[in-house]
Structure formats: C-alpha cells, structure tokens
Amino acid sequence: MSETPSRQTVFQGKVLDVGLEEHLMPDGRSVTFEIIRHPGGAAVLPLLEDGRILLIRQFRPAVGRVIYEIPAGRLEPGEPAGDCAARELTEEAGYVASELLPLGGCWSTVGFCDEYIHLFLARGLSVVPRCLEPDEFIELCPMPLADALRLVASGAIDDSKTQLALLRYQLLVRELDNDRFA
Amino acid sequence: MSETPSRQTVFQGKVLDVGLEEHLMPDGRSVTFEIIRHPGGAAVLPLLEDGRILLIRQFRPAVGRVIYEIPAGRLEPGEPAGDCAARELTEEAGYVASELLPLGGCWSTVGFCDEYIHLFLARGLSVVPRCLEPDEFIELCPMPLADALRLVASGAIDDSKTQLALLRYQLLVRELDNDRFA
C-alpha cells in the first residue's frame, strides 16, 4: 500500500484541507479517495474536587444545535496532545490540572478523515480565568458521573469523543473499585 | 440561531459535500464556518451464535493502515438506519440478523461535520454470501468480547464507532448480568 499517495488539494480553508488522493489497493489497483487531512485533536474530561465531572454545552453550527461535550480542540503544529488538552481545559473551562491521565483516543471518522482525538482525564483542578475564542459561547455543566452516563444512555449526550471519554472513565472507576474490594 | 444558514458549496465530490456557511451566533454576530454535510451512517456489532463478536479489518486510505472496525456504511437517501445496518452486515460480513438492537449513536466530529452514526447490535445471525464493493478488502475477525475490550484498552482498536459499540454492548451485558443476579 502506498506510503506517499499522490494528492490534489481541492479545497484549503482555515480548518479543512480537502484533497483527492490516489491510493494503491491490496489488489494493486489505484483508487481515488476524497480525504480530509486534519492535525488531530485532544479532549479532556475534568474531574472536579467534589467528585463530579464537568461537561460543557455549546452551539455547534455543523449539527445546528447546542450539545454536551467535553473541552476539546485541534493540535497546533508540533503541539503534544497533553499540552493541547491542558490549553483547552483552561480556555474553555477555566481550570488547570495537576494531573492529566490518558484515556485512550480514536479516529473520529476513518472513511474520509485522519482526525485522531487524544482523550484525557484531568484531576487536581484549580480555577483560573477562562479565555474563550470570539465565536465560542460555552456553558459549564458539572454533574455526577452517574447522571452523565444516564445522558449517554438516553442519547442526550451524543458527541462521540464525549461518550468515549465518559465510558472509558467509568471502566477505570470500576477497575479501581474491583481492585479495592478484591 | 439560524435555522437555514446561507451556504456556498466549495467542493462537491462523490462522498464529500464541503461548504462555507454563515451562522448566527448567540451574540447576534454572523460567523463563517467550513462544514461538511453528510447523509449519516449506520454501524453494526454482530454477535455470533457461539457468543463471540465479529470485527472486520480493512485498509483505510485516510489513516494509511489496516484497522479494526465493525461493518458500517453511509445511509442511502431516505434509507432507515436499521436497513443500512442490515445491508452493511450482509455486504461486508456475510450475515443476515433476525434481530437488530439499537446501541445508541454519535456525531462523529461535530466541529466541522454533521455525520451521525447509528449503532446496532445484530443477533440471530445466518450466513449469506458477502457482496463487497470493488474497493473493499475486508478480513473477518471473530473474537470473544473480552479480547475486543482488551484491544480497546490497549489502543489497538482505535476507531470511534467501533469502540463505542463495544463499550455500550459491554454495559448492556453488565446490566443484564446485574438483573440476573439481583
């Protein structure tokens, strides 16, 4: 399979880099794919001192509604994922964390995009001033993990990275509980 | 917030519909966003008669490697999500299911795309001939759920819809177990 596919850019915006790429398939044929190149991102589930987790709510033009998410953003060129998570935690939620634990990560939509989102859990939070972008309007929604998981089950939390971070954090909690009671 | 944002298409391919959209923000300002319009999709976790689940492996040009996934595809115009899941289960895996159970769904990448993926669990499977597209090369990988969850934890299963379907199915199994032993 081709390591360096030929690429013709068809749209280069501030956010989206859209191209036509020729890829060699396992049978040796060359096939053209429409592919978005993306720098990747980081998303962070904040764990508050009182044990609640912190979700945010913001209007997302792509889906035309206000949705639940966790703080997240795109990697700057060369930026380590943990630095990006820490930056978004401060900018969008107004916290710095003494500890960022990896919660895995995911390709968000492998059919046409190489966006990889690194997930983190943030602990040991201290309040700092938020620093929102001009087009960000973000409401903070602290809640118990159990409530957030009910919102996942009901479909009210429908963002993929947010669901994944909550479900993986729940697994972590259960494993720790199992260890404690083993 | 605008219900019918003005949109200027900047690229229309076979798969991607890329546009510049003006959206009214909560403060009344109009802001331009680069947005991909997508018909949505369906993905299905097949549960085999012997209790194992079925993953597939295929080369994905966008991420440049062979990855673990579950059968999935784009909705045809007007197609119900369950029909799409059933179609992909047959085309990519070679099964028909007597039962499709909803496992929720997700926006795959809300920052720039309105792709919503409906997730299903397929039970009561019967073997039928596969029917792959010319550019699909798919290996079938049946395995115990516990093995798949270990691959999620290790990062070897890194596709978002596949992780979500496995984690949500695990929750379902635990709830059923809790009911049984309650």
Side-chain angles (χ1 to χ4, degrees), chain B residues 47-62:
Chain B
L47 179 59
L48 301 173
E49 292 299 305
D50 63 7
R52 293 183 299 172
I53 56 97
L54 181 66
L55 298 180
I56 62 177
R57 277 176 70 78
Q58 64 180 322
F59 175 65
R60 287 296 202 166

Side-chain angles (χ1 to χ4, degrees), chain A residues 1 13-16 29 34 36-37 59 62 105-109 114-115 134 152 158 160 163 170-171 174, chain B residues 1 13-16 29 34 36-37 59 62 105-109 114-115 134 158 160 163 170-171 174:
Chain A
M1 295 165 195
K14 286 182 193 165
V15 175
L16 296 180
R29 284 182 311 123
E34 300 162 15
I36 315 254
R37 293 290 163 199
F59 175 65
C106 63
W107 303 110
S108 55
T109 182
D114 67 348
E115 180 185 29
V152 170
D158 48 14
S160 59
Q163 290 189 46
Q170 180 190 36
L171 283 187
R174 287 190 178 193
Chain B
M1 292 161 197
K14 287 183 191 165
V15 174
L16 297 180
R29 284 183 311 122
E34 300 162 14
I36 314 248
R37 292 292 165 198
F59 175 65
C106 63
W107 302 109
S108 55
T109 182
D114 66 347
E115 179 185 30
D158 49 13
S160 59
Q163 290 189 44
Q170 181 192 34
L171 283 187
R174 288 189 177 191

Side-chain angles (χ1 to χ4, degrees), chain A residues 87-106:
Chain A
R87 181 166 50 76
E88 296 295 340
L89 179 65
T90 294
E91 290 180 5
E92 298 190 345
Y95 286 100
V96 291
S98 66
E99 195 177 16
L100 278 178
L101 300 173
L103 277 181
C106 63

Side-chain angles (χ1 to χ4, degrees), chain A residues 148-159:
Chain A
L149 291 169
R150 271 190 286 274
L151 294 178
V152 170
S154 75
I157 292 178
D158 48 14
D159 173 55

Side-chain angles (χ1 to χ4, degrees), chain B residues 80-100:
Chain B
D83 292 3
C84 177
R87 179 166 52 74
E88 296 294 341
L89 178 65
T90 294
E91 289 180 5
E92 298 190 345
Y95 287 99
V96 293
S98 66
E99 194 176 17
L100 279 178

